[in-house]
Amino acid sequence: MIYPKEYDVIVIGAGHAGIEAALASSRMGCETLLLTMNLDTIGQMSCNPAIGGLAKGHLVREIDALGGEMGLNTDATGIQFRMLNAGKGPSVRAPRAQCDKKAYQFRMKSTCESQARLEIKQGQIAGLLVENDSIKGVTTQFEISYLSKTVIVTTGTFLQGLLHVGMKNIPGGRMGDSASGFSKCLIDLGFELGRLKTGTPPRLNGKSIDFTKCEIQPGDDRPPLFSYMTHTIQKGKNDLFTLNHWQEGMFHVEQLPCWMTYTTQQTHDIIRANLDKSPMYCGVIEGVGPRYCPSIEDKVVRFADKERHQIFLEPEGRHTQEFYVNGCSTSLPFEVQYAFIHSIPGLEQAEIIRPGYAVEYDFCPPTQLQASLETKRINGLFFAGQINGTSGYEEAGAQGIVAGINAARKVLGKPAVVLRRDQAYIGVLIDDLITKGTLEPYRMFTSRAEYRLLLRQDNADLRLTELGHEIGLGSEERCQRVQQKKRVMAETLEKLRIERLDRVSLADWLKRPEYFWGDLPVMYQGVDPEAALQIETEIKYAGYIDREMGLIAKTREVEDHPIPSWLDYDSVHGLKTEARLKLKLIQPRTFGQAGRISGINPSDVSLLMVWVKRGINPKSED
């Protein structure tokens, strides 16, 4: 059957990437279909019900500044908020929130159901409809065909997903859900596939944990929020899933504590004695796991000199006793998990209510994508999320909103939006993926951004709000608020430069390391705290910021200089074979992107620039 309605955008998968993609395209005016294997798992937090963290928090604030939903939903359903690295420099501070797992999921589902021009249907994808290398729609396992101008694939860990607990494995994208056989369709269309692995720890019954043996970790007294529109969160009479809300000029949230304990030597001995039963160490798992989020087996083997490792006990919700054991991802057999969990202080009597497991899945190396996240092979087909080799909700959501924006703009006949590396962490993420690819689940870090002092989590609104409004995603109110904030900042900064204390301007006075905003005269204490923080940062780090701005200006000419489509790499004399092959594979848009490809050195880029400058176009000579 061919469904009677034709859509502008179809999104396959309703995880964090799929939700942001579907909301973005529908809010930009496109008729959108969100197609999911199970309507009951829209927005499910398959691993830790936490949002944000180092660099990841930057991504969430950027998603929000563009007009996305992840930050707002986190603020509405968070049960603990903390600013990480609060005592360090502004470029590495990042917000993190522990969410109520089910409240986050069901509130996000409600948001999607309420969104105009967005339809949600249950159906498992079977194939893509392609004509002349252009997407035409999708088909489901029940042979229903949905036609569309563009399609966004966000299949998460479900492509040929395989779950491992010890030597036992079953098909599935996560525990309790089936796998997808969609990989064959992608292979038939000519896409290259790889294999990755991720994992999750056991979950424990909170009633069986002895918290007196653990260290308490409360949330921040003043919760650091993600959204710039938190004042819009209102709790309705029958709204069960909005836990926090804005009322009488304040954001109301009741926070729950997390707890910390440590592994012991006995824990390590148990794990070492059972490594032969680990599917990772026996070669049963072929996929490459995340280097920066290792399993407990990996920690014990790779860091054999450490006497103990931190274990964080994090509540999964306000109305459940289920606790997530952060730092304890494992695929060891259940009986081994049972033994080593009971060797950890506070967990001697702990009841495992879900075992930890590893999931192995297919992904498409992201060098097969353009900067818009549209595939190079099929016109109108976009990929976002873990199918591109990333890990984490935040990386998925960031790709999702970009794919949704660009699918909508393609339908509307507008050019793609491509965020630069000096403009957003999202730009760094996507450029890394499409230029360098990845051999392991990609995770965002502040160290990946060359201009991280400019790309702080506190100024995402100043960087991206007006762009989000311009493309039709951010609201008018959001744009007006950031413009007012910019005016306040400019006026306040000017006053600080003019007003003097002991013949020294307040701006120069504030630049001194021993003075802070709270030391300024009382008239400045009424300035919006976020604006004050950004003014103070600009003053204290002016030299470093100017240096980064200078570097950007210096490299912008090369960075933005396009590589003409007529350039034939095979005809460039003196270009080594490795460079030629990689340039043909990745097809960089600019000389800056070409220079970031692994195996391409500055002399290769210089050769290409000379070749283009000379205007050697083999096609024109024909």
Side-chain angles (χ1 to χ4, degrees):
M1 169 191 172
I2 297 178
Y3 195 74
K5 179 177 180 177
E6 182 174 349
Y7 296 91
D8 296 316
V9 181
I10 291 178
V11 180
I12 301 169
H16 303 277
I19 286 171
E20 294 294 349
L23 289 174
S25 62
S26 56
R27 288 169 176 173
M28 291 173 67
C30 290
E31 292 295 325
T32 304
L33 170 63
L34 181 59
L35 196 61
T36 175
M37 293 170 63
N38 187 347
L39 287 173
D40 296 327
T41 57
I42 292 174
Q44 181 158 316
M45 306 180 96
S46 306
C47 200
N48 190 0
I51 295 292
L54 302 181
K56 292 171 175 282
H58 294 66
L59 290 174
V60 179
R61 298 213 91 191
E62 290 178 354
I63 292 169
D64 182 78
L66 286 169
E69 197 65 28
M70 181 176 279
L72 199 66
N73 203 61
T74 298
D75 290 344
T77 60
I79 54 178
Q80 189 192 89
F81 296 84
R82 296 179 66 199
M83 181 64 75
L84 304 185
N85 283 345
K88 296 186 178 181
S91 66
V92 294
R93 296 172 197 156
R96 181 185 187 272
Q98 192 74 13
C99 293
D100 184 299
K101 184 175 186 174
K102 288 302 173 185
Y104 184 98
Q105 175 186 342
F106 291 132
R107 190 180 185 279
M108 194 65 96
K109 181 185 180 188
S110 176
T111 298
C112 292
E113 290 173 337
S114 311
Q115 179 59 48
R117 293 181 293 276
L118 175 57
E119 297 179 16
I120 308 170
K121 299 187 188 301
Q122 183 165 302
Q124 187 163 342
I125 190 71
L128 299 173
L129 302 174
V130 177
E131 289 181 13
N132 300 321
D133 294 330
S134 293
I135 199 72
K136 298 299 179 184
V138 304
T139 58
T140 69
Q141 286 189 334
F142 290 120
E143 298 183 351
I144 303 172
S145 295
Y146 296 97
L147 303 182
S148 180
K149 299 180 180 71
T150 59
V151 170
I152 305 172
V153 179
T154 69
T155 44
T157 61
F158 286 82
L159 292 181
Q160 297 295 114
L162 194 62
L163 309 179
H164 298 266
V165 179
M167 294 298 102
K168 295 181 172 57
N169 57 67
I170 57 172
R174 60 177 164 235
M175 196 67 77
D177 288 316
S178 61
S180 169
F182 184 57
S183 293
K184 184 179 183 304
C185 172
L186 296 174
I187 293 171
D188 290 344
L189 288 171
F191 288 100
E192 174 194 350
L193 267 62
R195 196 84 170 148
L196 294 177
K197 167 261 174 191
T198 190
T200 192
R203 270 61 157 194
L204 307 180
N205 187 336
K207 292 187 297 183
S208 65
I209 299 173
D210 184 355
F211 291 108
T212 64
K213 296 182 179 180
C214 305
E215 300 172 23
I216 192 169
Q217 284 197 311
D220 291 352
D221 289 336
R222 183 180 175 184
L225 304 176
F226 285 93
S227 180
Y228 295 96
M229 301 294 285
T230 305
H231 66 283
T232 64
I233 299 176
Q234 303 294 326
K235 185 174 177 64
K237 181 180 178 181
N238 298 314
D239 188 350
L240 301 178
F241 304 115
T242 297
L243 307 183
N244 314 314
H245 62 285
W246 189 270
Q247 187 177 356
E248 298 176 352
M250 289 181 61
F251 189 67
H252 294 262
V253 53
E254 294 181 20
Q255 301 193 67
L256 297 180
C258 295
W259 305 82
M260 185 169 66
T261 182
Y262 297 88
T263 60
T264 64
Q265 196 57 52
Q266 183 186 1
T267 313
H268 301 178
D269 291 342
I270 293 169
I271 291 170
R272 287 193 192 99
N274 289 279
L275 286 175
D276 60 322
K277 300 171 186 173
S278 167
M280 280 201 322
Y281 283 87
C282 296
V284 174
I285 292 178
E286 298 175 0
V288 180
R291 185 192 323 177
Y292 303 104
C293 188
S295 67
I296 191 68
E297 300 98 287
D298 258 351
K299 289 180 183 178
V300 168
V301 172
R302 289 166 52 189
F303 309 105
D305 58 318
K306 280 190 171 285
E307 294 182 0
R308 62 181 191 172
H309 295 283
Q310 290 178 327
I311 299 294
F312 299 93
L313 305 174
E314 300 172 332
E316 294 225 333
R318 187 172 296 285
H319 303 104
T320 179
Q321 287 291 331
E322 193 167 350
F323 271 74
Y324 182 94
V325 190
N326 197 344
C328 199
S329 173
T330 184
S331 57
L332 285 164
F334 179 78
E335 62 271 18
V336 180
Q337 296 184 36
Y338 185 89
F340 79 66
I341 282 291
H342 288 166
S343 70
I344 297 172
L347 307 184
E348 293 90 346
Q349 304 299 320
E351 178 188 346
I352 298 177
I353 55 180
R354 303 183 201 235
Y357 63 91
V359 57
E360 195 177 8
Y361 56 96
D362 288 346
F363 82 108
C364 288
T367 51
Q368 300 172 96
L369 301 175
Q370 301 175 42
S372 63
L373 296 183
E374 184 176 12
T375 65
K376 297 172 182 175
R377 185 171 293 275
I378 304 295
N379 181 45
L381 177 64
F382 296 75
F383 291 165
Q386 284 177 284
I387 190 174
N388 291 337
T390 57
S391 67
Y393 310 141
E394 302 84 359
E395 290 89 346
Q399 294 170 74
I401 195 169
V402 170
I405 288 169
N406 286 327
R409 287 179 70 84
K410 189 174 186 70
V411 170
L412 298 170
K414 298 179 179 179
V417 169
V418 176
L419 297 174
R420 303 186 310 272
R421 295 182 71 93
D422 62 3
Q423 190 176 13
Y425 268 82
I426 298 176
V428 176
L429 165 70
I430 293 175
D431 185 68
D432 276 356
L433 291 173
I434 66 169
T435 303
K436 301 174 183 176
T438 186
L439 299 176
E440 62 186 9
Y442 178 102
R443 179 177 180 174
M444 178 52 72
F445 292 101
T446 54
S447 59
R448 295 190 189 274
E450 304 92 317
Y451 310 112
R452 54 185 174 274
L453 191 53
L454 296 176
L455 306 182
R456 305 185 308 275
Q457 57 82 25
D458 61 78
N459 68 359
D461 57 337
L462 303 182
R463 291 185 279 116
L464 298 173
T465 297
E466 288 166 313
L467 173 62
H469 179 257
E470 181 186 332
I471 62 180
L473 185 53
S475 68
E476 181 66 29
E477 180 192 357
R478 182 187 288 269
C479 189
Q480 288 178 358
R481 284 172 66 88
V482 81
Q483 288 173 347
Q484 173 62 16
K485 183 177 179 179
K486 285 183 175 181
R487 284 193 291 270
V488 169
M489 288 178 61
E491 292 168 3
T492 305
L493 187 56
E494 184 63 22
K495 289 178 182 177
L496 289 170
R497 286 170 175 160
I498 293 173
E499 191 171 343
R500 296 184 173 273
L501 182 65
D502 295 333
R503 292 188 290 186
V504 177
S505 74
L506 290 181
D508 287 339
W509 187 74
L510 189 58
K511 192 177 292 185
R512 298 172 181 175
E514 66 269 26
Y515 293 114
F516 300 94
W517 193 270
D519 300 314
L520 290 173
V522 66
M523 63 175 289
Y524 291 99
Q525 302 312 313
V527 176
D528 174 72
E530 280 208 357
L533 174 63
Q534 289 172 47
I535 295 168
E536 184 176 0
T537 299
E538 285 192 20
I539 290 174
K540 285 189 178 298
Y541 293 87
Y544 299 100
I545 291 173
D546 289 345
R547 185 186 304 170
E548 286 198 358
M549 294 294 289
L551 286 172
I552 291 170
K554 195 173 183 180
T555 59
R556 179 68 60 80
E557 184 179 354
V558 174
E559 178 62 42
D560 292 345
H561 198 299
I563 297 176
S565 58
W566 54 257
L567 182 61
D568 180 5
Y569 297 115
D570 287 327
S571 68
V572 179
H573 305 310
L575 196 61
K576 61 182 184 290
T577 302
E578 179 189 4
R580 182 176 289 112
L581 291 173
K582 289 193 172 181
L583 289 164
K584 289 168 66 176
L585 172 67
I586 302 207
Q587 302 170 31
R589 298 176 300 109
T590 67
F591 289 106
Q593 185 187 355
R596 289 189 295 275
I597 299 173
S598 301
I600 304 296
N601 59 43
S603 64
D604 296 322
V605 177
S606 297
L607 180 61
L608 293 178
M609 294 186 76
V610 168
W611 203 263
V612 170
K613 192 173 182 180
R614 289 167 56 191
I616 302 174
N617 183 350
K619 295 179 182 177
S620 65
E621 292 176 1
D622 292 343

